Structures are given as C-alpha cells and as structure tokens.
Amino acid sequence: MYEQLVAINDRCVEESLSRQVLDDGSRYHGGVTDPVNGIAWASHGGTPMVMALWAAALINPDSRYYHNEELLSRLEHGAEFLLRFQHADGSISPGWTNMHSPPDTAFVAGGLAQVHELLEAHLENWEQLEKAAGLVRLFLTRTAPVLLTGGCHTPNHRWVLTAALGFLYRLTGKEE
C-alpha cells in the first residue's frame, strides 16, 4: 500500500508540474492552474494543495522527486505566488466567493502549516529547503491577524479556524 501511495503522489506531482504558470510576466506566475478552468487559485484546493504534494515528494527518499532541485524551485515559486495573492490583512480570497475569507484562509494555513513542519523537519538532511520553508512560514505568520479577528461565515468553520490557530501557536509560540 505504501508503495502505491508514493507512486500516486509522484504521478500527481508530474501532472501538476505541467499546470504551473511559469510566465514571468503573468500575475499568476508560480500558481498551479485548475485542470477544469485553467485559473491558478490561492485556495486550499488549488496551489497550496499541490504544494503539499510537492513537499511530500521532496522529502521522501522513496519518491522519484526526492531532493529534486527543479521541484524545489517550483515549490518556491508556488509559495511566492501565495504571498502575492495574500491580502494585506493576511487573508486569501478563493476567487469565486468569500472574499477576504478567514475560514478559507484557515483551510490554507492548516495545510501549509503541515507542509512547513515537513520542510523544517527535513532541513538537517537538505538545507536547500530553507528558502521554501521561510516563504511558507512568512505566509503563515501573516495569516494570524485575520484568523484572530475575522470571524467565520458558517458555524461549522470554527473548527478550521481553531486548528489553524493551534498550528500558528506551535509555529510562533504567541498565545493570542
């Protein structure tokens, strides 16, 4: 089963690489386009989700992408895309609804916090991960204000805000 999961992740990595916007003149540079509509999203089902696949492949010795420098560069471009699409209040907007959305930001933060933990834990094995980890950390720390004060549009999103704030506490040590 494990070998199958690694193979599936590697296939997802390969497929997603072809969807990353690499045109330096594009505002979407670094984002990974949606296979259905061709738009790169900063939401949890878009570029951040693909970044998690890439991070898992980069640190797994059983992946054919283990310590792949091209994939690492792509991960860094993805993180830079997210930072450009992050609003001044720390939020993201999915693009189709919920503008400046604390819950949507929390979904992204919860996933990227785990990506950050993977990258940080692997730094002693491959210090080239430092830039990517730093970019993800910057994105995460910028989310704190909106997660603390933004509220949520449905009661069931309280759990995702709480989880994201828990990750941020572990990352920063800030009790608020």
Side-chain angles (χ1 to χ4, degrees), residues 109-131:
L112 285 182
Q114 294 171 73
V115 166
H116 183 265
E117 288 180 353
L118 284 175
L119 297 175
E120 283 283 321
H122 197 75
L123 275 174
E124 65 186 45
N125 297 326
W126 198 37
E127 64 186 29
Q128 288 93 322
L129 291 170
E130 191 169 346
K131 179 179 178 183

Side-chain angles (χ1 to χ4, degrees), residues 32-46:
V32 179
T33 61
D34 184 295
V36 175
N37 61 31
I39 299 171
W41 303 112
S43 64
H44 64 281

Side-chain angles (χ1 to χ4, degrees), residues 17-76:
L17 286 171
S18 68
R19 294 186 289 112
Q20 188 175 33
V21 179
L22 297 175
D23 175 6
D24 286 334
S26 172
R27 67 184 285 231
Y28 295 103
H29 177 78
V32 179
T33 61
D34 184 295
V36 175
N37 61 31
I39 299 171
W41 303 112
S43 64
H44 64 281
T47 301
M49 178 192 69
V50 173
M51 289 171 60
L53 299 170
W54 293 352
L58 281 168
I59 67 157
N60 185 343
D62 296 325
S63 169
R64 70 176 185 231
Y65 293 99
Y66 179 66
H67 288 192
N68 181 294
E69 292 191 13
E70 175 63 23
L71 183 58
L72 175 59
S73 174
R74 301 290 198 96
L75 179 64
E76 292 167 356

